[in-house]
Amino acid sequence: MSLRQQGVLCVDFGLDRLTVVEVGGQGVSGWAVRDLPPKVVRNGDPIEPAQVAELLAQAIRESGLSGVRARFTLPDEAAILRLVELPALPRRHVRRALSFIVDKESPRPLDRISWGWDILERTDIGYRICLVAAWNDVIERITRVATDAGLQLEKLEPRSLATARALNRDRVVLFDGSSTRLQVVYLRRGEIPFVDHATVGRDQI
């Protein structure tokens, strides 16, 4: 079976839980869900990439998933999402204008983040742009997880954006949680997702 014929693995290890869904031409063909040990992932960041890769490879093998191409979610806590309105600049000046916004919004220097954008639409006054920035060290650890698990990383995007694209609804409130964390995501078509987290546990019940 060629790589093109195999399914694509969608991997998420947010909320202290590893989830892998295999999607092919006929839809979802398989999945795996595993609770993660304490302290290998922190707020969606695989701080122990070798151990996460081992657990991921084991989950894929035991669940009979065959995909090699993979798409990973990026923790929203390690990313900046902004909806930006720019005047009708020449396209060659858009990146420079956006770099000033990233530099202002990011708590880290520009040389420690990766960022990109997508023009959503042309408006009467210019451009409506989705701007995304993420921490380099988190990206490097996720890339290592994919490589060590024997996967080909094709795409990496913030968890909330991936959720919005998958659900494709005008307005959604999504609750997701594990034994220790609760995430609330508010999605509205054409807007940047709103994400909030809370710590939960027996003493909070």
Side-chain angles (χ1 to χ4, degrees):
M1 181 182 294
S2 69
L3 289 180
R4 287 294 176 188
Q5 292 173 318
Q6 289 180 337
V8 175
L9 299 180
C10 302
V11 182
D12 173 55
F13 37 74
L15 303 178
D16 308 318
R17 181 183 61 230
L18 171 65
T19 304
V20 187
V21 177
E22 186 169 48
V23 181
Q26 302 300 317
V28 175
S29 57
W31 63 87
V33 180
R34 300 284 190 279
D35 288 331
L36 291 170
K39 299 181 180 179
V40 299
V41 172
R42 181 177 58 219
N43 296 334
D45 177 5
I47 56 176
E48 297 292 344
Q51 189 172 354
V52 175
E54 182 179 351
L55 293 169
L56 174 58
Q58 180 182 16
I60 292 171
R61 183 173 60 253
E62 292 179 352
S63 300
L65 307 180
S66 60
V68 176
R69 299 156 53 209
R71 300 182 176 188
F72 280 63
T73 60
L74 179 73
D76 288 295
E77 301 93 324
I80 295 173
L81 305 178
R82 295 291 184 270
L83 198 60
V84 178
E85 302 275 356
L86 286 183
L89 300 169
R91 289 289 293 266
R92 65 183 182 276
H93 295 321
V94 170
R95 180 177 178 85
R96 180 174 176 82
L98 292 174
S99 69
F100 287 111
I101 298 174
V102 175
D103 190 33
K104 179 180 178 181
E105 296 286 342
S106 173
R108 300 190 180 190
L110 283 177
D111 61 356
R112 295 179 58 191
I113 64 175
S114 296
W115 60 281
W117 76 94
D118 188 17
I119 296 177
L120 302 179
E121 62 177 338
R122 290 291 301 267
T123 67
D124 293 338
I125 63 171
Y127 303 109
R128 194 163 183 257
I129 296 173
C130 178
L131 177 64
V132 179
W135 320 145
N136 285 340
D137 54 349
V138 178
I139 293 174
E140 290 168 1
R141 284 190 284 272
I142 293 176
T143 301
R144 181 181 168 190
V145 169
T147 301
D148 289 356
L151 303 178
Q152 297 178 6
L153 179 59
E154 290 190 342
K155 190 169 187 177
L156 179 62
E157 65 179 326
R159 192 173 194 264
S160 58
L161 284 185
T163 303
R165 186 166 49 77
L167 293 177
N168 193 28
R169 295 291 187 269
D170 288 334
R171 189 174 298 183
V172 176
V173 177
L174 177 67
F175 295 89
D176 192 9
S178 68
S179 59
T180 59
R181 299 177 65 219
L182 173 68
Q183 182 185 69
V184 181
V185 183
Y186 173 66
L187 306 172
R188 183 174 180 177
R189 193 187 301 275
E191 301 294 335
I192 294 298
F194 170 80
V195 183
D196 200 6
H197 296 86
T199 300
V200 297
R202 295 184 182 276
D203 56 339
Q204 275 80 38
I205 297 177

